[in-house]
Amino acid sequence: LGIYKNKRNAVLYLQEASNNGNAKAQYIYGICLMRGFATEQNEAEGIKWLELAGKQGQRLACAQLAKLYEVGYVVKKDIKIANYWYKEAADLKDGPSCYKIALAYYKGKGVKESLERAIYYARQGALLKQKDCLKLLNKLVPIYRKKLNKKRK
């Protein structure tokens, strides 16, 4: 077709789209900056663009931010902030994030322990064909039933 691929120009177009508020472009541009893909590596600037995309509901940006805060890569490790982003991504139907936030609610890790919320997010993930969520759901439902039976007695 005669189209010449120029990665540097592609990143410039991403930057322009990002500046115009395009959440998907912000996510991709943020990743390019963090990895130094066709541009100078700037992890702090990359995080800024990921956060802008995440605040606009860009699912992959939310999930990426959650992982970064969970392990403390580029940002200070903070499980509460990680869970905030996992919940945001899970609410946007990100299966792996459903598992992470369900597990956090089950164990009370960085959030108030809640079996009900754990089951809710595990179910959401299971509906998205996330196998880990289905396994967790199979573990949580009997625990919940026991809890209900104790309340009835």
Side-chain angles (χ1 to χ4, degrees):
L1 295 177
I3 298 172
Y4 178 73
K5 293 181 183 178
N6 184 318
K7 294 174 186 172
R8 181 70 187 132
N9 281 345
V11 171
L12 291 173
Y13 288 124
L14 281 171
Q15 183 181 20
E16 185 178 336
S18 296
N19 285 328
N20 288 326
N22 182 303
K24 188 173 184 179
Q26 290 171 341
Y27 163 68
I28 296 168
Y29 183 54
I31 295 296
C32 288
L33 285 166
M34 290 189 68
R35 295 184 179 161
F37 178 79
T39 187
E40 190 172 319
Q41 187 173 9
N42 186 334
E43 293 173 330
E45 188 72 9
I47 293 290
K48 179 190 108 174
W49 287 107
L50 288 178
E51 287 179 344
L52 286 170
K55 288 175 184 173
Q56 289 191 72
Q58 212 296 328
R59 177 180 59 86
L60 296 174
C62 294
Q64 185 66 43
L65 285 164
K67 291 173 196 167
L68 295 173
Y69 278 101
E70 181 181 22
V71 299
Y73 180 75
V74 182
V75 294
K76 184 179 177 195
K77 184 176 180 175
D78 189 324
I79 195 64
K80 288 183 180 180
I81 296 174
N83 285 337
Y84 167 80
W85 287 114
Y86 277 130
K87 184 181 177 304
E88 291 292 310
D91 289 340
L92 294 165
K93 305 210 180 315
D94 184 71
S97 295
C98 288
Y99 175 72
K100 288 286 197 168
I101 197 65
L103 202 56
Y105 277 120
Y106 173 54
K107 295 183 175 186
K109 185 178 175 187
V111 290
K112 185 178 178 189
E113 188 177 317
S114 171
L115 188 57
E116 291 82 3
R117 285 186 166 273
I119 289 171
Y120 171 80
Y121 282 106
R123 183 177 181 278
Q124 295 306 309
L127 291 171
L128 294 167
K129 311 277 190 254
Q130 187 67 30
K131 290 179 184 179
D132 290 336
C133 285
L134 187 56
K135 290 177 189 174
L136 183 59
L137 194 58
N138 286 331
K139 179 180 180 177
L140 298 178
V141 169
I143 295 169
Y144 184 70
R145 285 186 180 142
K146 278 185 185 179
K147 184 179 172 182
L148 283 179
N149 288 336
K150 283 183 182 179
K151 283 184 179 181
R152 290 181 184 156
K153 290 180 182 180

